[in-house]
Amino acid sequence: LQVYFLDNEEFFRRKFIFEDGSGKLFDDNQDRMVFFCKGVLETVKKFGWAPDVIHCHGWMTSLVPFYLKSVYKNEPIFANSKVIYSAYNNSTEWSFDNRFFDKASINQLEPEDLKLFSNGDESINLHKGAIESADAIVKGSEELDEKIDGAITSQSEKPVLDFQDEDSYLAAYVDFYK
């Protein structure tokens, strides 16, 4: 098993992940998220890996399903990849502002191309965009916010794996991947 780490001293060399020691969210979480999502896909592309399953966990990876269906849709390396998105109740999207649409508009995307990530108003909904772009969905938290649950319910044609406890999740995930 080979493991690779995507690093950036400015973004990831911190004592805390998404907020500082006093609980204040980092101002650059939007930038860090876009960097991470694009960086992962570019790394996979550069190394020539052809993944069968790309399993994205939570808001930090929520752009990956969308990017795969838009920016990377003609990349042969991803042609047969299936994308699973796990939604959790831990999100910082409420701290994102409209600069998100400009920052996430990589390559030839325009901010309006990212409308899947909008609630139809000025607010950002990272889970909604990921759920709409993924091939399958996992409920990663036992209880989900009603907006997240509603986004999953609206995608009734997609396979959904309900929350699994510690005793059953391994077998359930293996079956779901098949």
Side-chain angles (χ1 to χ4, degrees):
L1 175 68
Q2 290 180 322
V3 177
Y4 293 88
F5 292 94
L6 182 62
D7 198 10
N8 177 301
E9 287 194 27
E10 180 183 343
F11 286 157
F12 301 124
R13 298 269 170 125
R14 302 174 182 182
K15 289 184 178 186
F16 302 96
I17 300 173
F18 301 121
E19 52 192 37
D20 64 21
S22 64
K24 180 184 178 291
L25 291 168
F26 292 124
D27 291 333
D28 64 352
N29 278 338
Q30 295 180 101
D31 301 301
R32 298 167 70 216
M33 175 206 172
V34 171
F35 171 84
F36 179 76
C37 291
K38 183 171 182 181
V40 165
L41 294 171
E42 286 295 322
T43 300
V44 170
K45 189 175 136 184
K46 180 148 179 91
F47 287 153
W49 301 329
D52 294 320
V53 175
I54 300 170
H55 194 150
C56 304
H57 288 270
W59 70 269
M60 184 69 167
T61 66
S62 62
L63 284 169
V64 170
F66 174 75
Y67 284 164
L68 286 167
K69 304 298 181 188
S70 58
V71 176
Y72 295 91
K73 69 181 177 188
N74 295 322
E75 289 292 337
I77 196 101
F78 300 117
N80 297 313
S81 301
K82 295 297 180 195
V83 183
I84 298 172
Y85 180 72
S86 287
Y88 300 90
N89 258 347
N90 58 348
S91 185
T92 65
E93 65 196 25
W94 54 267
S95 69
F96 283 21
D97 58 34
N98 281 331
R99 293 177 302 155
F100 164 78
F101 295 107
D102 291 321
K103 293 171 187 278
S105 297
I106 63 169
N107 300 21
Q108 302 302 314
L109 290 177
E110 296 294 328
E112 57 270 9
D113 295 330
L114 291 134
K115 64 184 173 209
L116 290 177
F117 295 91
S118 172
N119 278 322
D121 54 17
E122 296 290 315
S123 63
I124 311 294
N125 190 332
L126 298 174
H127 293 296
K128 178 179 166 276
I131 289 165
E132 288 186 32
S133 301
D135 298 307
I137 302 136
V138 173
K139 293 183 178 183
S141 294
E142 191 166 6
E143 304 222 359
L144 291 171
D145 177 270
E146 64 185 47
K147 285 183 184 177
I148 299 170
D149 212 30
I152 293 170
T153 302
S154 75
Q155 300 295 307
S156 59
E157 75 284 355
K158 294 183 182 179
V160 175
L161 178 63
D162 287 323
F163 176 78
Q164 302 293 310
D165 62 26
E166 283 187 41
D167 296 332
S168 64
Y169 83 93
L170 283 176
Y173 273 58
V174 170
D175 287 343
F176 193 65
Y177 285 161
K178 292 179 185 176

